[in-house]
Amino acid sequence: MSQNSSPTALVVVAHHRSDSLTAHTARRAAARLQAAGYHIDLLDLHAERFDPRMNAEDQPDWGNREKAYSKEVRAHMQRILDADVVVAVFPVYWQSVPALLKGWIDRVWNYGFAYGRSKPRLAGKRMLWLGLAGATADDPITHGMRSVLEAGLSEGIAGYCGFSHSTVGLLLDAEKRPQRVDAQGNLHVGDAAVGAEREAQYADFDRRTVQFVDDFLADEPAAA
């Protein structure tokens, strides 16, 4: 980034519906980043028809870190290189990311590009993971969920690839009807919020999204 240009935020959304709460949250996060002075590159993986399946062309060659990957993957690599921060917005599936997002990481954050060098190409970049989960805020499972996501995403992926900072924002209560699994594995589903109660729930969700973005930006080191 030059001194006279705005920093860039690559906002990656992983959901198959543009009217989903996940897509809404990605747009809300992007708007907050834009208000903070960031140029936004919005990457909707489903809308752009990204194929998460690994193929021979993009399979790592452990003997050649200079391998030329597919044209599609090289274009995604460049979008990451052009970004100062990367924000991934996704529904939490099985205490992890959806296959669409994982496949993007598998194919694009590849050997010789994101890792495998003595000087990481992604060093100095910052990462925010915004995961939407149906668990309620008072559900004991959320403590373990946060730990699993932080370990897998911040440590296992972003940290391994040289990012200077990575954090997970877990957005709970994402379901319209509260859900909880008891110790015996039984699912308990509560009543759906409607009307003013539902609007208040959405407003609170937006507030928490903005708070995660603001806290992430507040952790940014001051320019020398």
Side-chain angles (χ1 to χ4, degrees):
M1 181 188 70
S2 66
Q3 288 184 334
N4 297 321
S5 63
S6 300
T8 294
L10 176 62
V11 180
V12 185
V13 55
H15 200 285
H16 57 283
R17 289 197 346 257
S18 61
D19 63 347
S20 64
L21 183 57
T22 300
H24 168 82
T25 300
R27 293 189 292 268
R28 190 71 186 88
R32 192 64 172 183
L33 287 159
Q34 188 172 38
Y38 281 82
H39 166 74
I40 304 300
D41 178 7
L42 183 61
L43 170 55
D44 185 329
L45 292 172
H46 183 79
E48 295 195 19
R49 297 184 180 278
F50 180 81
D51 187 350
R53 296 173 298 178
M54 180 57 76
N55 54 56
E57 193 173 6
D58 295 319
Q59 180 178 335
D61 181 350
W62 306 117
N64 177 22
R65 68 181 186 183
E66 306 300 335
K67 175 179 177 175
Y69 295 105
S70 67
K71 182 179 179 181
E72 178 187 27
V73 160
R74 293 200 307 272
H76 280 266
M77 288 175 173
Q78 190 59 53
R79 292 171 79 169
I80 296 172
L81 288 174
D82 290 342
D84 298 277
V85 302
V86 180
V87 180
V89 189
F90 58 94
V92 176
Y93 291 169
W94 298 111
Q95 302 202 31
S96 186
V97 299
L100 181 60
L101 180 56
K102 183 56 165 60
W104 180 70
I105 293 168
D106 289 345
R107 285 186 63 202
V108 179
W109 298 39
N110 216 324
Y111 176 67
F113 168 69
Y115 65 96
R117 292 181 178 275
S118 56
K119 184 178 180 181
R121 287 180 172 173
L122 305 185
K125 298 183 184 297
R126 304 172 69 249
M127 184 87 203
L128 173 62
W129 311 83
L130 289 176
L132 286 73
T136 57
D138 61 348
D139 192 330
I141 197 175
T142 60
H143 177 73
M145 187 182 296
R146 284 191 181 91
S147 297
V148 168
L149 290 170
E150 279 287 359
L153 303 179
S154 288
E155 298 175 22
I157 297 176
Y160 187 74
C161 293
F163 276 70
S164 63
H165 176 74
S166 175
T167 189
V168 173
L170 184 57
L171 289 159
L172 301 166
D173 296 297
E175 293 289 347
K176 187 175 182 180
R177 302 176 68 185
Q179 301 179 13
R180 179 192 292 272
V181 177
D182 64 24
Q184 288 72 44
N186 302 306
L187 175 64
H188 301 274
V189 181
D191 295 331
V194 296
E197 183 183 2
R198 182 58 172 164
E199 290 303 315
Q201 187 177 10
Y202 276 131
D204 182 65
F205 206 88
D206 280 352
R207 179 193 61 78
R208 287 183 283 136
T209 298
V210 167
Q211 189 63 58
F212 276 129
V213 173
D214 286 350
D215 290 346
F216 174 72
L217 294 177
D219 284 338
E220 187 170 10

